[in-house]
Every structure is written in C-alpha cells, then in structure tokens.
Amino acid sequence: MIVDIPNTTVSKVSKKLQELRDSGGVVALGRVLTLLIQTDLEHVEAAIKAANGASRLHPSRIIVLADEPHSEAADQLDAQIRVGGDAGASEVIVLRAYGDAASNPESLITGLLLPDAPVVAWWPSSCSASPASSAVGQIASRRLIDSALQNNAREFLKEFASNYQPGDGDLAWTRITLWRAQLAALFEQHAHRRVTKVRVLGSASSPSADLLAMWLGTSLGIHAELISVVDGVQIQGIYGVEVEFEDGYLHVHRPDQVATIKQTGAPDSSVLLPRRSDQDCLVEDMRFLGEDEIFGNVLRGFLAK
C-alpha cells in the first residue's frame, strides 16, 4: 500500500503513520533500527529497492530524504508512506523536500525516528567526504557512503580518509569482502613463504581496487601495485590479484563471476566470486553497527602515501 501526502509537514506525516498503525496496516514492533537514506530524486527508487531487500534480514523503518534545495519548484514537502508489499519487511517514509523545505534535513527526520533504536545513514549517490559532520550523519551511529559514485573517486577516497570517524563505512570496501575472505584463506597455505611482489589487476577509477591493494599492502607489509591495463586492454572493476613469493606464486583471476586460482603446490581450481549488489552490501553493513577497525587502518594507509 502506498499513501501519498502532498504539500505536508512532518507532524502530519507522523500522525498519518500512527493512523495506519492503529488501523492495523503498519506494525512497528520488531523493527531493529532506523535506516536514513539521503539522496536526490533520481536515485530514490533504486535506493528503496535495495533497502527493502536488506530489510528482510534487518527489519527497519526506512526514511528516505530526497532533497532538492536548488529546485525551481515551490518550497514544500511532499511525503509518501509505503507499507505491506511495497515496503519489504519495513515501513518506508519518503520525504521529497524542495527549496527552503530542504534546508534543514535534521528537522525533517528527527520526529520520525524509531525510539531507542540505532540509526544507520546511507548516501546512495553523491555526498560529502565528511559524512559524520553532516546534519544526517550526526544523527546516525553508522554512516555508509559509496566512493565509487563520486566524481574523481580516488581523490574523494583520500579526502574521506582524512575525515574518517569510527562508524563510517564505504560500500566500495564492502564489495571486496569476498575477495578478502578468499585471499586470507589462500594465504594460510603459504604462510611460510616470503612475499616479494603483489599486484592488483583493477581499474584505476575503482576505489574497490584501491582499497584491496591498500589492504593487501598493510596486511603483508609490502607495497601492492595497482595494474589497470593488461595486454593493452583497460580493466573494468577488479580482474585479479597476483602474488609472487621467493619460491612460488599465487594468482587469482576473475574474468567473470568465477575466479580461477593458480598457486604453487596445488592443482588449479576455481571459486565463485560474484560482483556484489548494493543490497548485499547493505545486509552486511547493517549486521554490525560498531567501528570497522580494519577499514579504519586501511584508510590511514592512504594518508601515509
């Protein structure tokens, strides 16, 4: 069910939500957190789709603030409440703020938060490189950005690293969880070997490739080189990792969803390494609301460059 509330106020939205709850259409019990999504009008539906999917594992109240402060439309707030099949395992409140109505996002959100529940903020489009200092970020204990969607992702990542606060997260980092888990397991077989060279084969414009290279470098105590062109072809995303030892090698190449593994002392093998969706990343990031210390250490590596 979708209920539109045009040209409204936050208090009227809250009252309507209460009416729906009293009539049995919305049940707030069992919600484990509030998910705040701040984006522009263009990215609203894609963000809601990913959040609805994640809510099936983390039942939430989803509040979407689609603000257009520079819009030529009249200064007003339009709202929409989605429940039932249109909201996954959540209740979704969409706030479309225009002009001056978008100038104070904190006032639009505060009255709609679930009481005594943690707050996660997510920016699925362009955002500040200092999310913890933003109006929405100051409300949340966990703040998720996506450096892959920013202009000049590599420079944004460096600025984000300089502004990092515990609780900050990046979907570009979460996308390489499967890579990190697989590589850590493979390195167990070569713990006795000395690493002499590490190469990450990935796009120069992919922050995930940069983060994977920095993670390998900080973990192994050696500079990991990022290679973006192989045989004259520009790499898209992450293609592979190549590690050279004094007495062997470990190569993991992923031309598609399946990666091939070639290593000293073992037959060739393959493993599924699918590209992760925003929904997959949200599910993981909403599972743990504390500080990601490994991510923080990796970001500090960018500052030391």
Side-chain angles (χ1 to χ4, degrees):
M1 179 172 63
I2 298 178
V3 179
D4 289 307
I5 315 173
N7 196 11
T8 188
T9 64
V10 173
S11 61
K12 291 179 180 178
V13 175
S14 182
K15 182 179 179 181
K16 184 62 177 179
L17 192 60
Q18 184 63 47
E19 291 175 0
L20 290 169
R21 185 179 301 115
D22 291 342
S23 67
V26 177
V27 179
L29 297 177
R31 302 292 186 251
V32 298
L33 57 84
T34 300
L35 175 61
L36 300 179
I37 302 174
Q38 186 173 24
T39 185
D40 53 33
L41 296 176
E42 178 184 352
H43 295 88
V44 168
E45 294 303 326
I48 291 175
K49 181 178 179 180
N52 280 346
S55 74
R56 288 179 168 83
L57 288 178
H58 306 287
S60 318
R61 171 174 289 179
I62 300 171
I63 303 174
V64 183
L65 178 58
D67 48 3
E68 292 288 348
H70 306 298
S71 171
E72 296 181 359
D75 301 337
Q76 69 179 54
L77 175 67
D78 295 336
Q80 186 180 82
I81 298 175
R82 305 184 185 186
V83 295
D86 295 294
S90 306
E91 51 198 17
V92 180
I93 304 167
V94 183
L95 304 175
R96 293 182 172 90
Y98 303 91
D100 288 344
S103 61
N104 190 351
E106 185 178 1
S107 66
L108 298 176
I109 293 168
T110 304
L112 299 172
L113 299 176
L114 285 175
D116 302 321
V119 177
V120 176
W122 174 38
W123 291 266
S125 53
S126 61
C127 67
S128 165
S130 181
S133 63
S134 68
V136 172
Q138 291 176 12
I139 300 172
S141 57
R142 186 85 164 105
R143 299 163 297 274
L144 306 174
I145 59 99
D146 191 345
S147 56
L149 299 178
Q150 313 307 314
N151 293 327
N152 196 334
R154 181 169 288 175
E155 289 303 315
F156 177 89
L157 197 56
K158 291 180 180 179
E159 186 178 355
F160 177 57
S162 67
N163 295 314
Y164 173 79
Q165 295 294 322
D168 289 349
D170 187 349
L171 266 64
W173 168 254
T174 315
R175 291 189 186 102
I176 63 172
T177 296
L178 299 181
W179 275 100
R180 293 190 295 118
Q182 186 60 49
L183 289 169
L186 290 170
F187 269 107
E188 288 291 325
Q189 306 172 40
H190 304 280
H192 61 287
R193 291 189 165 95
R194 180 175 174 270
V195 178
T196 59
K197 183 180 293 186
V198 178
R199 294 183 294 269
V200 173
L201 312 180
S203 171
S205 61
S206 168
S208 292
D210 278 323
L211 288 166
L212 182 58
M214 185 59 68
W215 172 73
L216 284 166
T218 55
S219 300
L220 299 173
I222 186 173
H223 173 70
E225 184 181 5
L226 181 62
I227 306 295
S228 58
V229 178
V230 174
D231 297 331
V233 178
Q234 192 78 32
I235 298 174
Q236 300 297 318
I238 297 176
Y239 176 78
V241 172
E242 297 179 348
V243 181
E244 305 298 333
F245 306 106
E246 281 187 338
D247 58 345
Y249 64 91
L250 168 63
H251 293 176
V252 183
H253 292 164
R254 183 187 67 175
D256 45 40
Q257 301 288 334
V258 177
T260 58
I261 301 171
K262 298 183 179 182
Q263 57 186 322
T264 298
D268 293 354
S269 59
S270 61
V271 64
L272 184 65
L273 277 181
R275 288 168 173 80
R276 308 188 77 191
S277 66
D278 286 352
Q279 178 180 316
D280 295 333
C281 294
L282 275 180
V283 167
E284 179 179 331
D285 282 321
M286 292 165 67
R287 184 179 298 125
F288 176 67
L289 302 181
E291 178 185 3
D292 187 338
E293 295 182 0
I294 297 177
F295 177 55
N297 290 335
V298 168
L299 285 182
R300 280 188 281 274
F302 282 98
L303 300 179
K305 277 188 173 183

